[in-house]
Amino acid sequence: MIDWPTRSDAAKLSDEQLLEKLQGFGLEVDRAELERLCEGALSAEEVARPLLDRCGAGAREGRPHEDWIWLCLLELWRRWWPERVCVEFLGDKIQAGYDALERQEAASAAAIWLDAWSDVVRLCDLTGVDSIREFDDRFSMYQSLFNWSQDLEDALWNAGREDPELLRARIAVCEEALRRFPDEDELMVENRRRAVAESYFELGETDKAEALFEQWLAADPRWGWGWIGWADLHFFTNNRPKDYSRAEGLLRRGYSTPGVRTREDIADRLVLLYRETGHDEEAEALAAEAKRISRSNSGVSVRRTIHREDTDGRAVVRDTATATFEGDRFPLDRMTEIVEALDAARPSIRPRRATKVGRNAPCPCGSGRKYKKCCGSSSD
């Protein structure tokens, strides 16, 4: 059985022992040589690859030396040049933030991730990367920037309820992302805009929040979830009384906008508002009207439902989109249309790109166990 080295193994060695380890693989390197090799590099792996080509034939007979070379470089980088940005250390910070969240230390996770975000900005500056997809293609991490940047936004919102400065940090991160990555997925751009406005509103800068939504919806009045997000400032409030009249007026404006996207979701929000305020007749009439319009427009009716369940003492939110269509048989020739309608009905669900799964991350199969204890165990 192969005894694979770990980062903790490298951390136990002195600087001299780490250099001797490298020299034992036929690499005649010292601190000056390594500093030259690492100059301009953005990861230890980037430096390790060409060093592997310089290894002697004897060193190539066993694979553990490949890990040792990378581990030695990484540990020496950590000790000698801690101020330099390094992709592996960025990955460490991201994982440390997730670990803090598991311990329910929201403020700690937010602080760790803000430091990680500064590394992302530095990497973009150093490489000229101007899109999230390019970043993820350029830098290999267990968590993609596409996924993690959205988790960062959520973490800052949750921690910001206790510390307003973290809400300001959330605004800064989202505005930075909007500026640096202007051509991103439309849904991500819209979600970030909503995050900026709702953060200003939570901070008490209500005029600023209102003005932002007014500006964005003047430019794109068909942004259905923009109208919902604006109304939610007054409907789903945290520290102030609900303004049902204002929320209803905004939702009505959105609902009556010609060609508005995700009109059914606006109707659902209005129905929820009417029921909460005791206007059940208006709620039923609007729900029926929205259903008729949806069917007459496309022949495919999609309804989104959100409800809460209590499972094993934990609150779970179920978000479901269901498509119905005319006729008794499934219309295979309209599969694309139905899938697009289902996707459009769930705009608050952010699309996720496939990523590497960390061994300590939850298994993507949904078992609730860590990857290394579930599907990942077969690769050990």
Side-chain angles (χ1 to χ4, degrees), residues 40 42-43 46 49 87 127 129 132-140:
L42 301 175
S43 72
E46 184 179 337
R49 282 196 297 267
V87 173
T127 59
V129 166
I132 290 178
R133 181 175 294 277
E134 184 182 0
F135 188 99
D136 286 335
D137 289 343
R138 172 70 172 79
F139 303 112
S140 177

Side-chain angles (χ1 to χ4, degrees), residues 92-309:
D92 291 344
K93 293 174 185 178
I94 291 174
Q95 184 57 50
Y98 283 115
D99 292 341
L101 286 179
E102 286 189 3
R103 298 191 300 270
Q104 298 185 341
E105 299 172 0
S108 176
I112 294 169
W113 278 357
L114 283 174
D115 185 35
W117 175 255
S118 68
D119 285 352
V120 169
V121 171
R122 290 172 63 192
L123 285 168
C124 289
D125 287 339
L126 289 168
T127 59
V129 166
D130 62 1
S131 77
I132 290 178
R133 181 175 294 277
E134 184 182 0
F135 188 99
D136 286 335
D137 289 343
R138 172 70 172 79
F139 303 112
S140 177
M141 300 189 298
Y142 283 120
Q143 296 290 337
S144 70
L145 179 61
F146 185 93
N147 288 347
W148 170 70
S149 63
Q150 297 173 78
D151 292 338
L152 166 63
E153 174 194 314
D154 292 340
L156 291 172
W157 171 254
N158 292 328
R161 305 292 185 86
E162 302 296 329
D163 183 355
E165 287 307 307
L166 292 177
L167 287 179
R168 297 199 179 280
R170 186 182 191 230
I171 292 170
V173 167
C174 290
E175 289 181 338
E176 177 83 16
L178 288 168
R179 182 182 66 80
R180 284 185 175 272
F181 313 126
D183 299 323
E184 284 309 311
D185 175 89
E186 181 183 49
L187 181 57
M188 179 175 281
V189 170
E190 291 174 348
N191 282 337
R192 286 213 169 99
R193 285 177 173 174
R194 287 181 59 193
V196 169
E198 71 184 8
S199 296
Y200 275 121
F201 197 85
E202 185 74 9
L203 286 166
E205 299 183 38
T206 56
D207 290 344
K208 176 70 172 178
E210 297 270 356
L212 286 172
F213 272 118
E214 190 77 63
Q215 171 189 330
W216 294 327
L217 286 164
D220 181 14
R222 298 174 64 246
W223 176 24
W225 271 83
W227 292 107
I228 294 173
W230 193 358
D232 282 354
L233 298 181
H234 305 280
F235 187 25
F236 292 111
T237 62
N238 295 306
N239 301 317
R240 68 192 75 208
K242 295 186 178 185
D243 188 342
Y244 292 111
S245 177
R246 176 65 169 157
E248 180 186 1
L250 291 169
L251 291 171
R252 277 294 180 185
R253 283 175 61 185
Y255 187 74
S256 61
T257 298
V260 68
R261 300 187 296 277
T262 61
R263 194 176 189 217
E264 296 85 354
D265 291 309
I266 301 177
D268 282 346
R269 200 59 119 235
L270 266 170
V271 168
L272 184 63
L273 184 149
Y274 285 145
R275 286 176 176 160
E276 188 169 314
T277 54
H279 296 82
D280 293 334
E281 291 185 6
E282 289 90 335
E284 294 305 322
L286 179 60
E289 176 188 335
K291 187 175 182 180
R292 286 196 304 272
I293 293 175
S294 175
R295 285 181 172 174
S296 64
N297 285 345
S298 66
V300 177
S301 176
V302 177
R303 182 168 184 78
R304 182 179 180 220
T305 58
I306 302 175
H307 66 280
R308 169 176 164 161
E309 296 178 0

